[in-house]
Amino acid sequence: MVCDLCPRMCHAVRTAELGKGYCRMRSVPVLARAALHHWEEPPISGTKGSGTIFFSGCSLGCVFCQNDEISHKDYGKPISVARLADICDELISQGAHNINFVTPTHYAHVIRELLDSHPLPVPTVWNCGGYERVETLKALDGKVSIYLPDLKYMDPGPAQKYSEAPDYPNRATTAIREMVRQTGPCQFDADGLLKQGVIIRHLLLPGQLAGAKEVMDWVSEAFEPGAVLFSLMSQYTPWGRASEFPEIDRPLRKSEIRAAQQYMDALGLEGFVQDSESAKREYTPDFDLTGI
């Protein structure tokens, strides 16, 4: 395949044997873990867990990535689409409330093929960094139930410095509008589990409170109340290449978390606020090929 799935549009020739392009991945799926996950937002994790499938590789270069082992160091195992379908079925048999594709952007072609040939009886979650091509998302229209994108930055400066993507703000905001167009407002089942909709996540970074406020301002202005949910995350832990950037090579301060929460409340954004206790390395799953 000649790949133009993500905004980098590097037109790399990816084959089943050879990984190319910014994501460095083959055309076949490469997975690092597939298991029930209990630490997503409550209406996604529910009581039994979300069936998370972690793909290797990434179209972003976030220097602080907590999944650095698989997103940048490419750990994982190549599998077939047929095996991916079996993994989905196995997670559902374990009680998964949904199938949660984590960092799926560069495997949009695989997921589209999977969902065309193997419709799933539970909601599907597109759990991504927000750096998406609208054209790629449109090819998934009607196939993805829940979009779970990050909205990391509204300023091209930090987007370039920390994620190698100065076009991130425009790409992510345009993509999120398309996601909302596809799903409409959030819909829940009788047990309070999310069936359809968009939850926008923002990870607080040290010293970037102004940027967090810009993100929340955009969400508040872009969507009517109830159209989306917002998830303010405070799980940041210095990771990956964060040591190369002294200003973010520290934990969040409680005052930063408190100020961001207060701003979210003042805007009246509906959603979730992550407990500061989640900023621990043990909350990052082990990428040990579990379930693969």
Side-chain angles (χ1 to χ4, degrees):
M1 64 178 290
V2 178
C3 187
D4 60 359
L5 291 171
C6 86
R8 304 219 181 249
M9 297 184 67
C10 53
H11 303 293
V13 178
R14 296 166 60 191
T15 71
E17 293 78 29
L18 187 64
K20 286 283 188 177
Y22 187 91
C23 70
R24 306 166 306 282
M25 286 291 111
R26 311 179 189 202
S27 60
V28 299
V30 180
L31 270 57
R33 180 182 176 87
L36 296 179
H37 190 63
H38 297 274
W39 302 319
E40 306 287 27
E41 286 74 7
I44 292 179
S45 289
T47 57
K48 298 179 181 178
S50 177
T52 49
I53 298 174
F54 288 86
F55 291 92
S56 303
C58 188
S59 58
L60 284 170
C62 302
V63 298
F64 49 81
C65 183
Q66 291 180 303
N67 295 349
D68 180 68
E69 183 180 359
I70 64 172
S71 61
H72 301 146
K73 297 177 181 176
D74 305 340
Y75 178 75
K77 178 181 177 180
I79 63 168
S80 66
V81 177
R83 175 59 190 145
L84 180 59
D86 289 342
I87 289 171
C88 292
D89 291 341
E90 289 163 10
L91 290 170
I92 292 168
S93 71
Q94 294 169 29
H97 295 301
N98 45 63
I99 294 298
N100 187 342
F101 301 114
V102 184
T103 319
T105 305
H106 49 297
Y107 284 117
H109 63 296
V110 169
I111 294 171
R112 187 171 64 246
E113 178 184 347
L114 168 72
L115 298 178
D116 280 341
S117 62
H118 194 79
L120 300 175
V122 298
T124 50
V125 181
W126 189 267
N127 185 340
C128 68
Y131 193 54
E132 305 282 345
R133 281 192 72 205
V134 166
E135 294 80 0
T136 300
L137 294 175
K138 285 183 175 179
L140 297 165
D141 196 353
K143 299 177 174 63
V144 172
S145 314
I146 300 164
Y147 283 102
L148 190 58
D150 291 337
L151 184 51
K152 298 177 184 292
Y153 320 97
M154 294 299 293
D155 183 339
Q160 168 61 30
K161 185 174 185 179
Y162 301 130
S163 294
E164 298 180 359
D167 59 339
Y168 179 94
N170 180 60
R171 292 289 191 175
T173 54
T174 303
I176 289 171
R177 288 185 186 277
E178 169 63 17
M179 295 172 186
V180 176
R181 184 198 69 77
Q182 289 185 21
T183 68
C186 292
Q187 299 180 26
F188 300 86
D189 67 13
D191 296 319
L193 295 170
L194 190 60
K195 298 191 300 181
Q196 186 171 308
V198 177
I199 300 177
I200 301 170
R201 287 174 161 174
H202 177 71
L203 175 66
L204 281 171
L205 297 179
Q208 297 293 312
L209 180 60
K213 290 180 177 180
E214 289 176 354
V215 165
M216 288 186 272
D217 283 340
W218 181 82
V219 174
S220 177
E221 294 165 6
F223 302 109
E224 295 294 327
V228 299
L229 293 173
F230 185 77
S231 183
L232 182 63
M233 306 179 74
S234 54
Q235 69 184 43
Y236 180 84
T237 303
W239 209 289
R241 294 174 50 214
S243 60
E244 300 174 24
F245 301 83
E247 70 276 14
I248 63 169
D249 190 26
R250 63 168 175 84
L252 289 166
R253 299 188 179 106
K254 290 185 178 180
S255 59
E256 292 172 313
I257 298 172
R258 185 167 56 251
Q261 292 174 352
Q262 290 172 347
Y263 198 79
M264 179 179 169
D265 290 341
L267 288 176
L269 289 178
E270 298 177 43
F272 313 95
V273 175
Q274 193 175 45
D275 193 306
S276 61
E277 293 301 311
S278 61
K280 296 179 180 178
R281 287 180 178 258
E282 51 262 39
Y283 284 100
T284 299
D286 291 327
F287 299 118
D288 55 5
L289 304 183
T290 292
I292 308 303

